[in-house]
Amino acid sequence: GQNIDQPTEMTATEGAIVQINCTYQTSGFNGLFWYQQHAGEAPTFLSYNVLDGLEEKGRFSSFLSRSKGYSYLLLKELQMKDSASYLCAALDSNYQLIWGAGTKLIIKP
Amino acid sequence: DAGITQSPRYKITETGRQVTLMCHQTWSHSYMFWYRQDLGHGLRLIYYSAAADITDKGEVPDGYVVSRSKTENFPLTLESATRSQTSVYFCASSVAENTEAFFGQGTRLTVV
């Protein structure tokens, strides 16, 4: 079956760095997305990786290893507004998105 | 207004009633999607559409009907609502299957 695993909840301190991991098992693979979702709001796009390696976008970076079925989202210089759920989603061979349940990130002052 | 909008934002309905959730996008994106989001689950795809008059089932289509007569609209109908369909429903659109999706603000549906 197809599956996405990511931690349910993580806690980090304002100003610190946090890494949110995601492992995936899909029938074929056409890329991996990360979305941010604040409580009560819609998901918003953060990143898309299809090749191995690290992509950096300001304070956020996303890494992909296709051979290991693994990705992570790295958030630097954490701010209180980064408190949200982070959703990992893999695109399978039929171009259907398989979503993880999300990681709730709690930022403490 | 530009973007993707859903209506209503909140809806309470009774078991057995038919209810339609509306979704409208102004970008002329080819792809549109309907998801439901429940606690403890990831987003689950109900139906999607690659273009006007083309729709396909997703992971959890039972009890739902969609149509797409115009590119900009993608309504979702619950034919006979059940309590298990209580959820938050998100509509989304994208240019292609492997590009970022833009989500509507969601409809919180309660079936009593």
Side-chain angles (χ1 to χ4, degrees):
Chain A
Q2 306 200 96
N3 193 52
I4 304 279
D5 283 317
Q6 52 181 133
T8 303
E9 188 174 295
M10 298 181 70
T11 302
T13 304
E14 190 177 15
I17 299 173
V18 70
Q19 178 175 311
I20 302 174
N21 296 324
C22 169
T23 58
Y24 62 89
Q25 291 177 306
T26 54
S27 303
F29 179 75
N30 281 299
L32 189 127
F33 289 87
W34 284 96
Y35 283 80
Q36 180 189 59
Q37 186 177 26
H38 285 100
E41 297 184 8
T44 55
F45 171 81
L46 288 176
S47 67
Y48 171 67
N49 295 64
V50 65
L51 300 176
D52 285 355
L54 184 70
E55 295 213 3
E56 298 184 70
K57 258 191 208 179
R59 295 189 299 114
F60 290 15
S61 303
S62 56
F63 171 84
L64 177 67
S65 169
R66 294 176 65 130
S67 61
K68 294 182 179 177
Y70 168 69
S71 173
Y72 68 72
L73 183 69
L74 191 71
L75 291 73
K76 302 176 186 175
E77 301 168 14
L78 286 169
Q79 301 175 9
M80 297 303 292
K81 68 179 182 180
D82 297 330
S83 292
S85 289
Y86 291 86
L87 314 180
C88 172
L91 203 56
D92 72 10
S93 58
N94 293 321
Y95 286 90
Q96 295 227 357
L97 269 178
I98 311 301
W99 293 82
T103 298
K104 183 178 180 180
L105 178 63
I106 299 167
I107 310 296
K108 295 187 173 178
Chain B
D1 288 339
I4 181 165
T5 54
Q6 293 182 232
S7 61
R9 290 292 311 277
Y10 303 92
K11 176 77 177 176
I12 299 174
T13 192
E14 294 179 338
T15 302
R17 288 196 180 267
Q18 182 181 83
V19 60
T20 296
L21 309 184
M22 305 301 292
C23 179
H24 175 79
Q25 53 110 351
T26 60
W27 294 303
S28 299
H29 285 170
S30 295
Y31 286 83
M32 295 189 76
F33 309 86
W34 273 107
Y35 290 97
R36 61 178 291 173
Q37 187 173 41
D38 304 289
L39 275 174
H41 290 274
L43 288 163
R44 290 185 288 176
L45 182 65
I46 304 170
Y47 271 95
Y48 70 101
S49 169
D53 298 321
I54 300 174
T55 61
D56 277 300
K57 294 178 180 179
E59 181 187 354
V60 289
D62 292 345
Y64 303 95
V65 174
V66 293
S67 63
R68 195 165 176 208
S69 57
K70 292 184 178 180
T71 299
E72 60 267 30
N73 296 323
F74 192 39
L76 175 74
T77 297
L78 286 68
E79 296 181 293
S80 177
T82 65
R83 287 184 183 160
S84 64
Q85 292 177 311
T86 292
S87 186
V88 179
Y89 290 84
F90 286 104
C91 178
S93 71
S94 65
V95 171
E97 292 157 307
N98 61 344
T99 59
E100 70 174 285
F102 295 87
F103 285 79
Q105 285 305 102
T107 295
R108 185 174 293 275
L109 177 69
T110 302
V111 183
V112 298

